[in-house]
Amino acid sequence: MSRAFLLDLNACTGCGACRLACTLENGLPWGTSWRQIFTFNEGRHPAAPSFHLSMACNHCAQAPCIEQCPALAIRREGAGGEVLLDPGRCIGCGCCGWACPYDAPLYDEEAGVMGKCTFCSPRLAEGREPACVSLCPTGALRSGEIEEIGGVERAEGFPPRPARPSLRFLPLREGRSEPETGLHSASAPDSLPPAAEPPPPGAGLATEWPLAVFTLAAAALVSWLTASLGGAVPMHAPTFLASAALALGVSALHLGRKERAWRALLNLRRSWLSREIALFSLFVGLAAIHLLLAPRSVALAHAASAVGFAALFAIDRVYDLAISRRPVPLHSADVLLTGLLLTGYLLADLWLAGPAALLALALYVQRRTRGAGEGGRAQERRTVIRLGAGFLLPALLWIARPPLWWECGLLALAVGVIVDRCELYLEIDLPSPRRELAAALERRLRSAPASAGTSSATSSPSW
Amino acid sequence: MPLLTTACPRNCYSTCTMRVEVEKGRLRRIEPCPDNRATPEGVCLKGLSYAERVVSPDRLLRPLRRRKRSGSFEPVSWEAALDEIAGTLARLREGPGPRSVLYYTGSGTKGLLNGLGTSFWRLYGGCTTTYGDLCWPAGLEATRLTLGENKHSAPWDLVHARLIVLWGKNAAETNVHQMAFVEEALSRGARLVVVDPRRTETAERAELLLQPRPGTDGALALAVARRLVELDALDRPFLETHVLGFPEFRESLREWTPERAAAVCELPARSIERLAELLAGTRPATICAGFGMQRYTNAGQAMRAILALLVLTGNIGRPGAGWQFANLQSHVFEPVRDPVASFPPERPDGVLRMSVSTARLGRDMLETRDPELRMIWVERGNPVTQNPETNTVLEAFRRLDFRVAVDQFLTDTAREADLVLPAKTFLEQSDVINAYWHPYIQLKRKVLDPPGEVKPESEIYTLLARRLGFPEEAVAETFPAPGEAGVEAWLERRLAAVPGLSLDRLEEGPVLPPGHQEVAFSDLAFPTPSGKIELLSAEAARRWGVDALPGYREPEESARSSRLAARYPLTLMTPNTKNRIHSQFNNLKMIRDLSPAPFVAMHPEDAERRGIAPGDRVRLFNDRGELTLPARFDLGLRPGCLAVTNGWWASEGGAVNVCSLGRETDMGHGAAFHEVLVQAERAT
C-alpha cells in the first residue's frame, strides 16, 4: 500500500494554484511552497512542445533523503508510505536537498530547518485529498494507490527513477506536439540562443563558505599533524587544538539549527556527513590525547593521522552528491588530494607531493576544458591564480630554491588550494528537475532534423 | 471548522464558487465547490491568495490623507476624512455645481451594492460620469448587432464541440476553468485552433496556431469566410431562414482571397486555408473570442466578421456550437444590459452627465467645460495606470482640486489622491453577483469582518449622505441599514424583483437565472430589428458609421497605416497574465513568488537586430512615454511584436499605458489601446 500522485500533462497549465494550495494548507510563509512547477521548453522553441511538471515530494520507495539525512530526521511513516520530515529533529544541514533529484526538501529560512511535502497526511487521515490535488483548477493532479492510479512512469525531462518515486503521468496526448504555426522555422538549436535564463546555481560560495573554511582547515590540520610526526614541521599544540575546535565550530555555522549539531552523528550507517563529522571529531580527539596526554605515543599519533585521512575521504564523499556530473569521481579540490599534497610539501617529499600535484593539475585542466563553472572574466582570473600560485610558482621555487623558498612556496600553494576549493562551491551542480528538463530539450533539439520545409510569412514586415 | 460557501466577484470569466474555512477570524482554508458546474475544481491562484490579501501588512486599514508638501500619507480619522469630503462636496454643489465632480468606477468587483454609488450621486444632485468601457464593448456591440443579444451556451457545453477555435483568447491564463472543458473536448477527439500573435500556454494544446499581425483578425476572418463559400460549407437552410444579408456579404467577400489576407495578416496562406478546411469539415464548432482583440480601432468590424464564420456554417443554437464571447444571461437585475447601458444616453436626464469617454479619460477630463471638473471620486479602479495614456491621465488628475480614492492598497491612483479611504475585500460584505461566462447568480457571502477601521462603500455613502443633509427618508430607502442584517434586507428587496430568487435560495448555492438557455439561441430567436441574425446591419451603419456589412480596415496605429511606424516599428502587446487581474495581486508575496518583476518578451530576431541579449535592460519608447525593462527571449512570439503583461505598477517600472493612446474603438465606445507602436533599444 503506497500512495502516489498522478499528473495529467495535458491538463496542467502551470498556473501555480497547487503551489498556493500547499502554502495555505501547511501554513508556510507566504511566497514559499513545498510544490514547485518546472517547465519544459519555457522559451517556446519552435521544434518542441512546452509542458509543465508540477512536483512536490514524490515519497520515493527508495528515498535518497532518508538515506542521506545525518540526523535521522526523515522517515517513512503513515498508512500510504509517506516520507515525512520531522522538523523537531532536523538540523538544517540541507543534505536531503542535495540528495533529492526532485528538489523537494526546501530550506525554511524562518525555522532554520528543511521542510517538505507531507502528502497532506492529516487530510488523508480525514479522507480528503491533498490540498494541491483538491484545488487544481483543471483537475490535473490526482492521488491514489500506486497500483491503481494508472499513468506511466516517464515524462520527457523527468529525472531518472532509481529512487522509485511515487509519481505517475498521463502523458501528452498522441499528436500533441508543438503547434503548427507556419511562421517560425524549426531551426537547428545552435542558431537560436536559449530563451530562458540559465538556472540559478544550486548553492554558492555565499551560503556555503563555512563549509569551504571547515574542509580546508581539515586538510591543513591533518597534513600538519602528519608532517609533524616526522619532525619536518614543528607542532604547537595550543594552536593546533584551537584551530581544530574553531573548524568544527565554523562547520556548524552552516546548520540552520546549530544547537542540534550533535544530531549530525546519528546516521553513521548510511550518511557520509555523519561519518565525516564522526571521523573528524575522532581525529581531533586522538590528536588532543596525543598532544596533551601522551606526546610520546607514536602509535596514537599515527592512528590520529590515519583517522584524519579517513575523515578527508569522508568529506569528499559528501560532495559526490553536489558535483554530480563528472567523468571520474575525483575533483582537483578534493580535500584528500589536498591533504596528500600539503603533507608531501611539508615533508618535502617529492614522491608524495609530485604525484598529488600532477593529479590535481590534470583534474583541474580537465574541469576547465569541460567548461565547468560559470565562465567569464572572474573565472579566467581565478584560473590564472590557481595555475600560477598553486602549481607553477611552488614548482619553480622548489627547483630554484632561493632564500625563503619553502615558506613562499607553501603560501603560494595555499592560495592555489583555497581558490580551487572555493570554485568547487561555485560549481555545485545538484541533480534537479530544472537541469534534467533543459538537458532533455537539448537532446530533443539535437536529434530533430532541422526541418527546412516550413515556410516563413508571405511578406516580410519592415521592422 | 464549518465551510462557508461564497463566490469570487472579481472581473474575471470564472466567477468561482468556493467554500472557505474561517478560524479565529482568519481565512484558513479555501476548498472547491462542485455546485458550480463551470468551476467544480479549485479556484485560481488569485482566489487562493486572498488568504494573504485580507491580512496583508500593506492593506489600508485607516483613511489616509496626503500631506500637501511632502506627498506622503498620514492616517486621519473617519470623522475628519468624511467632514473634509462632505465640506468639499457641499462647496462644489454651491459653486460650479454638482457636475464638477467626476465619479469614476472601474471593474474591480461585481455586485448589486455597486449601484449605491450612482444612487448617492443622484441624491447629491448629479455628477459627471464616464461612458464606454476599457474592456469589451466592441465585441459586445458586434454581437448585439448580429445576434441581438449577448449570451452564449453554458461553459460545460463546450465538451460537445468537435472544433474549438480560441480566437485571441488565452484561456489557460485568463479563464483557466475553461481549459478543463477544452481538455475534455480534446480527449473526446475535438480539434483545437488558436489565433494569437503569441504562442501562449493555451496554444500548446492547439494543432494549428495562427499568429496574425495584431489588429488584422478581421481580414483573416473574411478570407476564411470566402473559402467557406468556395468550399460550399454553408448551411443554406439556416442562412435562408435565419440570416439577413447573406447574399450581400457573399458578394463583399470576393476580394478576400487567402493570398490577400495572407499579405495583410502576414500569415502563410496555407494556414488560412487550413482554418477554413477545419471549419468546413468539423461540426459542431465553437469560437471563443477573447478580450484583447477588442481593443483595436477596427475591433467591432473584426468581431462581426469572425462571428459570421459560425453564421455561414450554421453553428448557432446547437449543442457544441456557438459564439462564446459574453454570457450575460445572469444579468437579470439590469433594466438595460451592456453594452447599451454604458453608452451615453440619447436623452440625458439632466442629473448625471455621462460625458467623459473611458477610453479618452485624461483628455476628456482636461477638456470638460461648463462646469470644469474640480474633484474626482475613484472606486473599484486604478485609472492612472490602467487607462490609456497614463501621462495625460496624471495631468488631468493633478489639475483637479480634490481627489478621493477608495481602495484596499496604495495603488498608483491612490497615491495621487488627497484622501484614500480603506476598502473592504469581497469576503467582508455580502452581495449578490452575476457573471459573464457561466450563467449563475450567486450569493457572495460575508465570511470575515472588515479589519481595522475598514468600512464598506455602502456605509461610507450613508455617512456622507447624512453629513450632506440628504432627506432622511431617501437615505433610509436608498442605502442599507448599517451591518449585515441591513445589507441582507436590502438585497432581499432587490431579489424580490426577479421570480424565483431569494437569499434563502442563493444560500444553498449558485442559481441559474429564469429562462436560462443551456444552449444559447436554441430557440433560434434573435432580438435584432429584423428578428434574424444580421450580417447586414443598418444599425451598425447608422449608429457607428461603419459599413453595414462586416469588413476590414487597417488599424489606425499599425506598422502599415501610421506615419509613426517609421520611427516606432514594433508593436507593443500588453496581454493579461494568470498572475494578476489587471493591476491587482502582484503586490502579494504569494503572487510575487510566481511573477517577481516585469520584463519585456522579445523574439530573438528583433532583439539581436538591436544588440539586445537576454537580461539586458531595454528601453521601450514612443512619443507618449517610455519604459525600461529587462528583456526575455520568447521564440514563440511573432517577430515584430513585444509583450509586456499589463498591470505592473508605475513604482515597479512596468506601467505599460505610458505608451498607449486614448482613442475609441470603431463601435461600442471601447478603448483601442492595444494599438501601440514603439521602438526598442538597449538601455545604456
Side-chain angles (χ1 to χ4, degrees):
Chain A
M1 284 273 281
S2 152
R3 206 168 178 84
F5 285 113
L6 177 74
L7 174 66
D8 181 343
L9 296 180
N10 293 298
C12 177
T13 65
C15 73
C18 51
R19 268 184 72 82
L20 268 57
C22 175
T23 306
L24 280 183
E25 182 66 31
N26 296 294
L28 302 179
W30 298 330
T32 67
S33 175
W34 290 335
R35 186 165 272 281
Q36 300 186 74
I37 296 162
F38 303 98
T39 302
F40 181 78
N41 191 18
E42 196 165 11
R44 300 284 196 263
H45 193 285
S50 176
F51 61 86
H52 310 278
L53 298 180
S54 165
M55 272 198 269
C57 173
N58 294 321
H59 301 273
C60 303
Q62 283 173 2
C65 58
I66 297 182
E67 274 174 33
Q68 297 292 341
C69 175
L72 295 178
I74 309 178
R75 294 154 182 244
R76 188 177 310 283
E77 286 172 45
E82 297 97 88
V83 173
L84 300 181
L85 187 152
D86 183 347
R89 295 179 174 182
C90 176
I91 59 175
C93 69
C95 250
C96 50
W98 281 19
C100 175
Y102 313 113
D103 291 357
L106 297 169
Y107 187 61
D108 178 343
E109 296 275 352
E110 276 173 35
V113 294
M114 301 296 283
K116 65 166 211 62
C117 161
T118 64
F119 225 123
C120 279
S121 40
R123 284 175 72 104
L124 291 181
E126 292 171 30
R128 292 195 292 173
E129 292 277 16
C132 53
V133 170
S134 187
L135 280 160
C136 171
T138 60
L141 270 174
R142 285 169 233 175
S143 86
E145 296 304 324
I146 197 160
E147 295 80 11
E148 296 158 17
I149 201 162
V152 299
E153 292 208 336
R154 301 210 163 263
E156 192 169 359
F158 184 73
R161 308 179 63 105
R164 297 177 47 217
S166 299
L167 173 64
R168 298 287 181 273
F169 303 101
L170 291 182
L172 289 186
R173 192 179 302 109
E174 202 164 327
R176 180 177 152 184
S177 58
E178 61 281 4
E180 177 195 328
T181 66
L183 204 61
H184 306 283
S185 58
S187 323
D190 292 342
S191 68
L192 290 165
E197 277 122 84
L205 194 57
T207 53
E208 306 293 4
W209 67 266
L211 294 180
V213 171
F214 165 72
T215 52
L216 283 166
L221 290 168
V222 172
S223 309
W224 185 5
L225 184 79
T226 310
S228 74
L229 294 182
V233 287
M235 172 51 67
H236 186 254
T239 310
F240 182 91
L241 292 174
S243 306
L246 200 63
L248 272 171
V250 167
S251 79
L253 277 185
H254 105 112
L255 298 183
R257 301 298 293 262
K258 296 158 193 64
E259 79 282 9
R260 296 183 192 155
W262 62 273
R263 293 194 61 93
L265 291 165
L266 291 180
N267 192 7
L268 288 175
R269 225 155 55 83
R270 286 180 295 190
S271 156
W272 280 108
L273 185 72
S274 289
R275 292 170 191 166
E276 160 197 314
I277 300 296
L279 286 166
F280 186 73
S281 305
L282 185 60
F283 161 73
V284 175
L286 291 174
I289 295 170
H290 163 62
L291 293 173
L292 299 178
L293 304 176
R296 270 184 294 257
S297 167
V298 177
L300 194 58
H302 279 96
S305 166
V307 170
F309 278 104
L312 298 185
F313 176 77
I315 290 173
D316 290 335
R317 296 291 70 71
V318 173
Y319 291 88
D320 284 348
L321 291 173
I323 311 286
S324 57
R325 282 190 294 193
R326 47 182 173 175
V328 286
L330 290 171
H331 192 282
S332 59
D334 274 351
V335 282
L336 181 58
L337 195 53
T338 305
L340 292 171
L341 175 62
L342 282 176
T343 305
Y345 189 89
L346 293 175
L347 293 170
D349 180 345
L350 193 60
W351 291 107
L352 182 56
L358 287 177
L359 180 57
L361 180 62
L363 287 166
Y364 190 80
V365 169
Q366 177 259 341
R367 245 171 65 221
R368 280 287 83 87
T369 48
R370 198 163 48 89
E374 83 284 7
R377 263 303 151 71
Q379 189 176 46
E380 280 170 24
R381 269 202 300 276
R382 287 200 312 268
T383 303
V384 169
I385 297 172
R386 173 68 184 111
L387 292 174
F391 298 110
L392 194 61
L393 193 56
L396 290 175
L397 288 169
W398 189 300
I399 295 161
R401 310 217 167 185
L404 287 178
W405 70 270
W406 190 85
E407 289 80 359
C408 292
L410 185 61
L411 193 66
L413 199 61
V415 169
V417 162
I418 290 169
V419 168
D420 207 3
R421 188 73 196 169
C422 290
E423 284 199 326
L424 180 140
Y425 291 91
L426 291 172
E427 287 168 21
I428 281 183
D429 178 25
L430 300 165
S432 81
R434 199 171 274 117
R435 193 181 84 181
E436 294 297 327
L437 283 162
L441 178 63
E442 203 172 313
R443 276 197 301 278
R444 176 193 266 257
L445 297 181
R446 292 205 186 284
S447 65
S451 63
T454 40
S455 59
S456 59
T458 46
S459 67
S460 187
S462 57
W463 55 78
Chain B
M1 286 284 158
L3 290 169
L4 302 167
T5 305
T6 187
C8 176
R10 310 314 306 274
N11 179 6
C12 165
Y13 287 100
S14 297
T15 318
C16 296
T17 316
M18 61 173 98
R19 300 214 163 109
V20 301
E21 185 183 314
V22 175
E23 194 179 80
K24 293 185 196 132
R26 274 176 86 116
L27 188 58
R28 171 73 188 85
R29 197 175 262 162
I30 297 173
E31 296 281 346
C33 177
D35 294 352
N36 183 331
R37 286 182 67 190
T39 63
E41 310 282 352
V43 302
C44 76
L45 66 163
K46 281 96 65 189
L48 292 171
S49 75
Y50 264 90
E52 177 182 351
R53 188 173 171 102
V54 290
V55 293
S56 163
D58 296 336
R59 184 153 172 212
L60 303 180
L61 301 177
R62 301 179 63 183
L64 296 178
R65 188 170 210 309
R66 192 152 54 106
R67 293 187 181 94
K68 281 273 181 293
R69 204 163 293 159
S70 67
S72 61
F73 285 89
E74 60 184 342
V76 289
S77 68
W78 273 106
E79 289 293 310
L82 293 172
D83 284 347
E84 184 171 0
I85 297 170
T88 309
L89 284 175
R91 244 189 347 268
L92 290 173
R93 186 164 54 182
E94 294 305 312
R99 293 172 183 209
S100 60
V101 179
L102 176 64
Y103 173 51
Y104 184 91
T105 60
S107 55
T109 188
K110 306 173 181 111
L112 294 179
L113 288 164
N114 285 349
L116 288 178
T118 308
S119 306
F120 172 87
W121 296 108
R122 282 189 178 280
L123 289 171
Y124 172 65
C127 68
T128 300
T129 66
T130 54
Y131 64 86
D133 189 274
L134 293 175
C135 184
W136 57 346
L140 287 179
E141 182 63 355
T143 307
R144 188 187 72 86
L145 292 170
T146 310
L147 300 175
E149 193 180 352
N150 277 284
K151 62 183 175 186
H152 66 66
S153 300
W156 48 89
D157 179 64
L158 193 63
V159 302
H160 300 122
R162 303 292 298 165
L163 173 66
I164 300 171
V165 182
L166 290 164
W167 199 311
K169 180 171 181 180
N170 181 12
E173 296 214 44
T174 59
N175 187 188
V176 69
H177 301 87
Q178 185 174 50
M179 293 311 286
F181 301 117
V182 170
E183 274 308 320
E184 173 67 18
L186 291 176
S187 68
R188 296 182 187 193
R191 324 280 298 264
L192 176 67
V193 178
V194 169
V195 183
D196 198 313
R198 300 186 302 144
R199 180 175 158 190
T200 58
E201 179 63 30
T202 309
E204 286 307 313
R205 280 101 185 136
E207 61 183 275
L208 177 65
L209 167 64
L210 291 109
Q211 298 185 281
R213 191 163 61 90
T216 63
D217 303 82
L220 173 59
L222 292 168
V224 172
R226 184 194 136 112
R227 280 301 287 156
L228 290 174
V229 173
E230 279 176 1
L231 293 166
D232 199 24
L234 308 172
D235 186 336
R236 287 191 184 276
F238 183 82
L239 286 169
E240 272 156 32
T241 322
H242 300 294
V243 179
L244 179 76
F246 170 64
E248 294 88 340
F249 183 54
R250 182 181 50 198
E251 200 49 36
S252 76
L253 294 174
R254 204 172 282 279
E255 55 178 330
W256 283 102
T257 61
E259 291 70 30
R260 177 167 174 212
V264 171
C265 306
E266 289 167 14
L267 277 176
R270 178 74 204 117
S271 298
I272 301 173
E273 290 273 353
R274 273 204 62 197
L275 175 55
E277 284 160 14
L278 279 167
L279 270 166
T282 329
R283 279 158 220 244
T286 296
I287 298 181
C288 307
F291 294 154
M293 68 172 161
Q294 308 309 313
R295 299 154 195 176
Y296 289 84
T297 46
N298 60 8
Q301 284 292 76
M303 288 290 278
R304 289 179 71 206
I306 300 168
L307 177 47
L309 302 178
L310 296 168
V311 175
L312 296 182
T313 49
N315 274 305
I316 299 282
R318 293 170 185 166
W323 172 245
Q324 293 206 1
F325 179 65
N327 190 11
L328 305 187
Q329 295 196 65
S330 60
H331 293 223
V332 295
F333 301 101
E334 293 86 338
V336 184
R337 286 184 187 174
D338 273 338
V340 180
S342 75
F343 295 168
E346 282 167 24
R347 277 185 299 280
D349 61 11
V351 181
L352 297 182
R353 175 170 70 169
M354 211 168 166
S355 61
V356 170
S357 168
T358 306
R360 290 186 305 259
L361 179 68
R363 255 173 309 134
D364 281 9
M365 280 173 70
L366 289 169
E367 285 164 14
T368 295
R369 298 286 179 274
D370 300 322
E372 286 181 21
L373 296 177
R374 303 280 294 276
M375 170 179 162
I376 191 168
W377 176 289
V378 182
E379 65 186 49
R380 285 173 269 138
N382 182 13
V384 164
T385 54
Q386 294 312 106
N387 287 49
E389 242 179 289
T390 294
N391 289 324
T392 317
V393 176
L394 268 178
E395 187 190 339
F397 259 67
R398 289 174 180 169
R399 200 173 287 183
L400 299 169
D401 299 338
F402 192 53
R403 295 144 288 240
V404 178
V406 187
D407 214 309
Q408 295 160 10
F409 295 95
L410 214 47
T411 63
D412 289 316
T413 300
R415 277 172 214 272
E416 289 294 318
D418 300 282
L419 270 175
V420 187
L421 305 180
K424 66 177 193 297
T425 68
F426 81 88
L427 298 157
E428 293 154 8
Q429 185 181 39
S430 290
D431 206 339
V432 170
I433 59 171
N434 55 30
Y436 53 76
W437 173 57
H438 66 62
Y440 293 111
I441 299 163
Q442 304 190 74
L443 175 65
K444 179 201 75 140
R445 189 202 307 256
K446 176 187 170 183
V447 295
L448 296 172
D449 287 323
E453 296 178 18
V454 170
K455 288 183 196 300
E457 291 85 336
S458 57
E459 277 184 44
I460 300 175
Y461 282 125
T462 312
L463 292 167
L464 278 176
R466 296 242 155 78
R467 275 179 169 69
L468 285 161
F470 296 172
E472 188 52 43
E473 214 170 273
V475 172
E477 194 181 311
T478 307
F479 300 104
E484 192 58 11
V487 168
E488 283 180 11
W490 188 93
L491 290 172
E492 202 74 89
R493 283 208 299 281
R494 297 294 307 272
L495 292 173
V498 182
L501 279 189
S502 67
L503 278 181
D504 277 352
R505 176 110 193 268
L506 287 169
E507 268 175 23
E508 288 164 23
V511 174
L512 291 172
H516 171 241
Q517 283 181 333
E518 189 150 314
V519 175
F521 301 107
S522 51
D523 54 359
L524 297 172
F526 303 100
T528 55
S530 64
K532 293 182 169 189
I533 297 175
E534 296 200 348
L535 290 178
L536 182 74
S537 167
E539 191 182 349
R542 191 183 67 242
R543 199 189 265 265
W544 305 108
V546 298
D547 199 304
L549 291 167
Y552 175 76
R553 184 167 53 85
E554 185 68 18
E556 279 175 26
E557 185 169 327
S558 85
R560 296 196 182 180
S561 63
S562 170
R563 57 187 174 75
L564 294 174
R567 279 179 297 151
Y568 307 120
L570 297 167
T571 301
L572 175 62
M573 303 183 68
T574 54
N576 280 346
T577 149
K578 68 182 175 67
N579 298 313
R580 295 190 291 276
I581 299 177
H582 301 128
S583 59
Q584 302 174 80
F585 295 99
N586 220 118
N587 58 332
L588 305 177
K589 285 183 187 162
M590 284 188 183
I591 303 294
R592 197 161 285 280
D593 171 47
L594 299 167
S595 131
F599 61 89
V600 54
M602 307 185 80
H603 193 278
E605 221 173 281
D606 294 318
E608 279 163 7
R609 202 165 294 195
R610 293 167 172 78
I612 294 166
D616 282 354
R617 292 189 66 76
V618 176
R619 181 172 163 258
L620 310 177
F621 62 99
N622 60 19
D623 289 346
R624 297 160 208 144
E626 64 173 74
L627 293 170
T628 303
L629 297 171
R632 204 180 279 187
F633 281 8
D634 181 347
L635 296 169
L637 184 63
R638 188 193 157 79
C641 293
L642 309 174
V644 183
T645 56
N646 85 74
W648 291 104
W649 292 14
S651 54
E652 297 162 325
V656 293
N657 281 307
V658 295
C659 290
S660 66
L661 179 71
R663 68 179 134 213
E664 287 192 13
T665 51
D666 55 350
M667 59 181 71
H669 301 298
F673 61 148
H674 282 188
E675 282 175 24
V676 182
L677 292 179
V678 296
Q679 180 57 291
E681 64 182 23
R682 220 176 81 176
T684 43

